[in-house]
Amino acid sequence: MEKCNLDNACSYVSDKIGEIPKIALILGSGLGSLADKLEQPVLIPYSQIPGFPLSTAPGHASRLVCGSLNGNRVIAFQGRFHHYEGYSMEQIAFPIRFLSKLGCSTLVVTNAAGGINRSLVPGDLMLISDHININGLNPLLGPNDDSEGTRFPDMTSAYSQDLRDLLVETAENLNIRLKEGVYAWTTGPSFETPAEIQMLRILGADVVGMSTVPEVLTAVHGGLDVLGISCISNMAAGILDQPITSEEVIEIGRQVSGRFSELISGFIALYYRRNS
Ligand code: HPA
């Protein structure tokens, strides 16, 4: 069933978009406006794509947007699927498997995250160097389809060093402050307790968020090169003497969106210059 849906999703989308972009983007909470900047966009609601789930989280649209940024082709997910919405790991994996099958080679995942490392401040952009999965969940659990990827994928370089170098170079060229660190995935939907944040700090996490890791595991399995960027929307629980709200997460995303778009556009331009 899934294989059939994947084939149908790929032929449905490739008929609509023509040439397949090398780069795909997943736009996190409050960061979806970058997709509105794409030139000559082809918009495809998820509801029309065979096998795709629908996204329900606030701050997320629900469509695929394919177009160009300064002449460079990209395909963007405007709205993503979270486990806390009730989607299974399999449903979350589907759009990523779809990208591998479509023929994309690089996935840029972005998210809003809470800052654990005290050197971070809300509004910072952070390059993800690695992740921590403490949830006991993994989209690769179950029978392995060897045509999609190996049974035991190596996660030593889940976040491609070449792409990380390229993003650092882009940020330097554009004079954009870019931090680097480890992303810990919690399922949500509740924000963490201060004790949980203390635990994650001890484990080596710099930021915490409710997405990204399932997609990255699927992407690496499917042979995609991955770049991850977190937008620090708030300090994690217990770091400041104030509660955390989803409104601030989305509001900071909006405030950062100009800088964020500039960084991603610069990255894509440099990527195509180096990979064409
Ligand atoms: N915790 C988990 N997920 C988040 C946070 C947070 O503090 N901020 C944005 N996404």
Side-chain angles (χ1 to χ4, degrees), residues 120-233:
L120 294 165
V121 291
D124 271 347
L125 296 171
M126 190 196 86
L127 167 58
I128 301 176
S129 57
D130 205 346
H131 74 224
I132 296 176
N133 178 3
I134 51 158
N135 295 320
L137 292 166
N138 191 313
L140 308 178
L141 284 168
N144 187 60
D145 182 340
D146 293 338
S147 71
E148 283 175 352
T150 175
R151 171 74 285 189
F152 301 108
D154 178 28
M155 290 293 148
T156 310
S157 304
Y159 299 83
S160 151
Q161 188 63 54
D162 287 350
L163 297 178
R164 285 158 59 188
D165 290 347
L166 221 52
L167 191 74
V168 169
E169 190 178 335
T170 307
E172 280 168 6
N173 291 344
L174 295 171
N175 218 1
I176 290 176
R177 186 169 118 113
L178 182 68
K179 299 298 192 84
E180 185 165 343
V182 173
Y183 177 95
W185 172 43
T186 53
T187 62
S190 45
F191 288 110
E192 301 70 35
T193 63
E196 287 163 349
I197 292 303
Q198 174 66 6
M199 172 189 74
L200 291 171
R201 182 204 311 285
I202 291 167
L203 294 180
D206 296 295
V207 300
V208 60
M210 304 177 193
S211 66
T212 299
V213 168
E215 289 113 313
V216 170
L217 294 169
T218 312
V220 173
H221 178 249
L224 295 169
D225 295 325
V226 174
L227 179 75
I229 306 169
S230 288
C231 163
I232 313 310
S233 54

Side-chain angles (χ1 to χ4, degrees), residues 233-255:
S233 54
N234 58 280
M235 292 314 286
I239 293 189
L240 303 177
D241 190 17
Q242 63 188 51
I244 302 167
T245 66
S246 60
E247 287 75 23
E248 72 181 314
V249 171
I250 290 168
E251 177 52 29
I252 291 281
R254 282 207 189 96
Q255 288 173 21

